[in-house]
Amino acid sequence: MASLKGGFRILLVVSFLGLNVLPFVPHNSLRTLQRFSSDAAAFCPKYLQSSSEPLPRNLAEVPVTRLSSACTCFQKTAAPSSTWAPAVAPTPTSISSVKTTSWSTSASVAPGLPTSTALPPTTTSPSTTGPNSVRAVGKAYSGGKRGLVYDWNSQDYSKFFKNSNKIAFGSNWREKRIPAPGVTFDYGAYVPTIHVDGNLKNDGWLNAVKALIASGTPMIYASNEPDNQGQANLTPAQAATVYKNYVQPFKGQAALASPAITNGGGATGLGFLEDFVGQCRDCHFDIINVHHYVNRWDVGVDQAVSAVKSYLTKDVAAFQAKHPQFQNTKICIGEFWLWGASDEEGADYLRKLLPWLDGNSNVACYQAFGGLWRGNFINSAGTGLSRSGQVYHDL
């Protein structure tokens, strides 16, 4: 879920007292307000009372025509109340039924997937024929687990993590380590992400990635959320074409990650990946890349942690068990977060989840979507780490 999120969404809030529907809001606009939450918290109440309120510089990328709906949703997510919380807490066994946004349902299983809770086999030798034969000539991911996400708005905030021995790599949804002047990320590995134009082209990608691999890049991300209209927005066939043209050529040179899917249901999420695999039968994968988001106004911190664990050990594991191409791969949870959590709730979420991710041998890598932005892993003043950022730095 890159910083530029597009497309209108209906944010659904489920409670046991009824269904509340927030206004239509483009997800990239809401993301901008959440990233610069201190500015948004001061601006939105005034703007909703008087549309003549000047727009802060950090919020300038939000179109004026979308400010009202984005501010309305921001105020709901920034301060969840008991009105928006479930009256009865779902148990971990029922967490998969909790709805989040219209494109994201926690721990949902694609139609037709097995429901076994067993982890995918890790000791079976790759076959020498068929789709899984490519496993023998791949390249396992050999880097550290914890990564940082950042973009052209991240300035020099990476300096606050430079002395952490926990950070192994970074990514920014492009093939350039430094996406804009003034942005720094000069430690750890860099993981590029393929992105293409409307003609499914990226003329600079192959040479850029060759150089990155020569400098030590351990892994390549395929398309970012092709099942999300606000991101790569590709059909399974298009995603397969992009993978074959731009990721598959580096087989054996770096670990190759599958397209990063949302945790949506139906034709998105694992359902999309199911269709993608059908279009990419001769493709090679070293990593299965998934994203996971739930909303604070739907679930509490403990429930959100349980949702991640359930998604990885049940839903994703069942998908891996079904498809030979993924039976010997590990998981990268390329983005995850508890939307709408306060800084302290975000810190609590990480305290409870990171030790499990670090101790799970089937998880190769992960990136929390706190990110290098003010109001996320960086405090609102931009002078240091937030509470959640400090946990991600230390734990």
Side-chain angles (χ1 to χ4, degrees), residues 1-6 9 27 31 101 103-104 173 193-194 221-235 239 258-264 268-269 272 289-293 334-336 339 369:
M1 184 172 296
S3 61
L4 290 180
K5 288 289 181 181
R9 303 275 186 262
H27 208 261
R31 167 53 58 78
T101 62
W103 53 265
S104 176
W173 306 283
T193 305
I194 178 59
Y221 283 161
S223 303
N224 182 63
E225 297 186 358
D227 55 330
N228 181 352
Q229 291 181 355
Q231 287 302 291
N233 189 25
L234 302 170
T235 67
S258 65
I261 52 164
T262 69
N263 54 308
T268 66
F272 180 96
N289 192 3
V290 299
H291 293 175
H292 191 277
Y293 291 92
E335 295 177 23
F336 65 96
W339 278 124
F369 204 91

Side-chain angles (χ1 to χ4, degrees), residues 52-69:
S52 62
E53 181 69 18
L55 186 64
R57 178 181 177 184
N58 286 331
L59 307 182
E61 69 182 64
V62 180
V64 174
T65 55
R66 300 175 181 176
L67 273 172
S68 179
S69 57

Side-chain angles (χ1 to χ4, degrees), residues 6-345:
F8 285 92
R9 303 275 186 262
I10 299 177
L11 295 183
L12 298 179
V13 179
V14 176
S15 77
F16 288 85
L17 299 177
L19 181 66
N20 301 293
V21 182
L22 292 173
F24 280 105
V25 58
H27 208 261
N28 59 323
S29 299
L30 178 59
R31 167 53 58 78
T32 299
L33 298 187
Q34 290 172 326
R35 190 193 320 156
F36 300 108
S37 57
S38 59
D39 292 324
F43 167 76
C44 282
K46 297 177 182 178
Y47 178 80
L48 291 174
Q49 292 182 4
S50 172
S51 59
S52 62
E53 181 69 18
L55 186 64
R57 178 181 177 184
N58 286 331
L59 307 182
E61 69 182 64
V62 180
V64 174
T65 55
R66 300 175 181 176
L67 273 172
S68 179
S69 57
C71 273
T72 299
C73 285
F74 171 79
Q75 290 190 297
K76 293 292 187 183
T77 63
S81 66
S82 58
T83 302
W84 296 81
V88 179
T91 64
T93 57
S94 65
I95 196 73
S96 62
S97 65
V98 177
K99 289 185 181 296
T100 56
T101 62
S102 61
W103 53 265
S104 176
T105 52
S106 170
S108 55
V109 182
L113 288 184
T115 57
S116 169
T117 59
L119 289 175
T122 56
T123 58
T124 304
S125 300
S127 63
T128 56
T129 61
N132 203 35
S133 62
V134 295
R135 302 286 318 128
V137 294
K139 185 176 179 66
Y141 175 70
S142 59
K145 284 195 173 187
R146 191 173 303 179
L148 284 170
V149 288
Y150 64 102
D151 68 4
W152 48 91
N153 290 310
S154 296
Q155 303 181 41
D156 63 345
Y157 297 146
S158 66
K159 65 187 178 185
F160 297 121
F161 280 92
K162 194 166 187 177
N163 65 346
S164 171
N165 62 1
K166 302 293 185 178
I167 304 302
F169 68 97
S171 67
N172 61 28
W173 306 283
R174 292 294 185 269
E175 69 272 18
K176 295 180 180 179
R177 175 186 279 263
I178 305 302
V183 176
T184 61
F185 189 78
D186 56 2
Y187 56 91
Y190 175 70
V191 176
T193 305
I194 178 59
H195 64 101
V196 294
D197 61 22
N199 295 316
L200 305 185
K201 300 291 186 181
N202 182 332
D203 292 337
W205 168 265
L206 295 176
N207 287 335
V209 174
K210 288 177 183 178
L212 287 170
I213 290 175
S215 66
T217 285
M219 179 170 53
I220 299 171
Y221 283 161
S223 303
N224 182 63
E225 297 186 358
D227 55 330
N228 181 352
Q229 291 181 355
Q231 287 302 291
N233 189 25
L234 302 170
T235 67
Q238 289 173 326
T241 295
V242 172
Y243 193 92
K244 293 174 182 177
N245 290 342
Y246 294 106
V247 181
Q248 183 87 356
F250 296 103
K251 180 177 68 176
Q253 301 176 55
L256 307 185
S258 65
I261 52 164
T262 69
N263 54 308
T268 66
L270 292 170
F272 180 96
L273 198 60
E274 179 90 15
D275 293 337
F276 165 82
V277 171
Q279 299 285 338
C280 212
R281 295 186 182 276
D282 295 325
C283 295
H284 166 85
F285 309 99
D286 298 299
I287 295 283
I288 182 170
N289 192 3
V290 299
H291 293 175
H292 191 277
Y293 291 92
V294 291
N295 295 319
R296 173 62 186 88
W297 57 90
D298 288 340
V299 298
V301 171
D302 289 342
Q303 297 162 335
V305 172
S306 294
V308 176
K309 294 179 180 180
S310 177
Y311 183 62
L312 297 184
T313 61
K314 295 180 180 179
D315 299 355
V316 177
F319 182 90
Q320 290 177 281
K322 180 179 180 180
H323 295 283
Q325 300 99 314
F326 291 102
Q327 286 178 3
N328 295 284
T329 64
K330 293 189 176 183
I331 300 169
C332 181
I333 178 166
E335 295 177 23
F336 65 96
W337 196 244
L338 174 57
W339 278 124
S342 67
D343 189 24
E344 183 50 49
E345 288 172 331

